[in-house]
Amino acid sequence: MILHGSTEFEEHPFELEADLEDAIQEVKAKLFGTSRIYLEIKRKIGKKGGKQNIPDAYILGLSSAKAPKLFVVENELSRHDHLKHIAVQILEFSLAFEINPQRVKEVIREALKKDAAAEEFAAEYAKKNQFENVDYLLDRIVHRKEAFTALVIIDELKPELENIFREE
């Protein structure tokens, strides 16, 4: 990923997924905007004793006063198998999210407590938009109908992957 000026990005293949994640951390404000909080959290979600998965990150989308949103983020390299690896992971994240949204809320709340600036931004958003507090805000986000939304960040978008996600 190469930043040109202040807003343009180019595709850039990475050797390691960790390198892609480091690049995302460097440009997250420009990549996602100032009304979204990018939380790099690698914690299990799903039902204890059942199928659990570990997303790479979450984005709290706080651009809408009435409809805050959560994105489950998977950072991937384009050389990974699109169907067997990437699409299956997204499906598994969706199932884990639906089975135990409270666990997702706990993971995000813990991450906010470790990031003072992110927690303050979320608290200001909650207060400004008539949510009682951050906990209530997160409850409203994870327990709403069709709450699961995935975001795949990939070093190169190939037509096969684009077709897989268009069909779903």
Side-chain angles (χ1 to χ4, degrees), residues 82-161:
H82 296 103
L83 186 58
K84 291 179 183 173
H85 183 77
I86 300 171
V88 168
Q89 275 189 306
I90 299 303
L91 177 60
E92 289 177 345
F93 294 155
S94 173
L95 295 172
F97 189 102
E98 288 178 23
I99 289 169
N100 195 350
Q102 189 62 28
R103 175 66 182 140
V104 174
K105 178 196 169 194
E106 291 167 4
V107 166
I108 294 166
R109 191 67 185 110
E110 288 172 20
L112 286 173
K113 287 180 180 178
K114 293 178 183 175
D115 184 336
E119 184 168 35
E120 183 178 335
F121 185 81
E124 288 174 12
Y125 172 89
K127 182 178 180 181
K128 179 180 166 185
N129 295 291
Q130 286 78 47
F131 293 95
E132 293 175 27
N133 54 42
V134 174
D135 287 320
Y136 183 73
L137 168 65
L138 294 176
D139 272 334
R140 292 282 306 271
I141 291 172
V142 301
H143 293 289
R144 69 180 173 80
K145 186 175 181 177
E146 299 177 12
F148 180 81
T149 305
L151 175 65
V152 176
I153 301 173
I154 194 161
D155 60 343
E156 179 184 3
L157 179 59
K158 294 184 178 177
E160 309 87 62
L161 183 61

Side-chain angles (χ1 to χ4, degrees), residues 22-76:
D22 290 344
I24 292 166
Q25 280 293 347
E26 287 180 36
V27 298
K28 64 185 176 185
K30 291 178 181 164
L31 186 61
F32 304 119
T34 57
S35 63
R36 292 178 184 89
I37 301 171
Y38 180 80
L39 298 166
E40 190 173 284
I41 314 164
K42 294 185 186 261
R43 301 283 307 272
K44 290 180 183 177
I45 61 171
K47 189 173 181 180
K48 290 191 182 208
K51 181 72 173 164
Q52 294 185 312
N53 297 89
I54 304 174
D56 291 318
Y58 297 86
I59 294 175
L60 282 175
L62 304 177
S63 58
S64 169
K66 299 195 186 285
K69 203 167 190 181
L70 176 67
F71 299 85
V72 177
V73 179
E74 180 59 22
N75 300 317
E76 279 298 340

Side-chain angles (χ1 to χ4, degrees), residues 14 17-18 33 77 80 86-87 121 128 135 156 163 165:
F14 291 92
E17 199 170 291
L77 300 178
H80 291 162
I86 300 171
F121 185 81
K128 179 180 166 185
D135 287 320
E156 179 184 3
N163 289 338
F165 286 112

Side-chain angles (χ1 to χ4, degrees), residues 2-9 30:
I2 301 171
L3 178 63
H4 288 285
S6 63
T7 58
E8 295 183 27
F9 300 90
K30 291 178 181 164

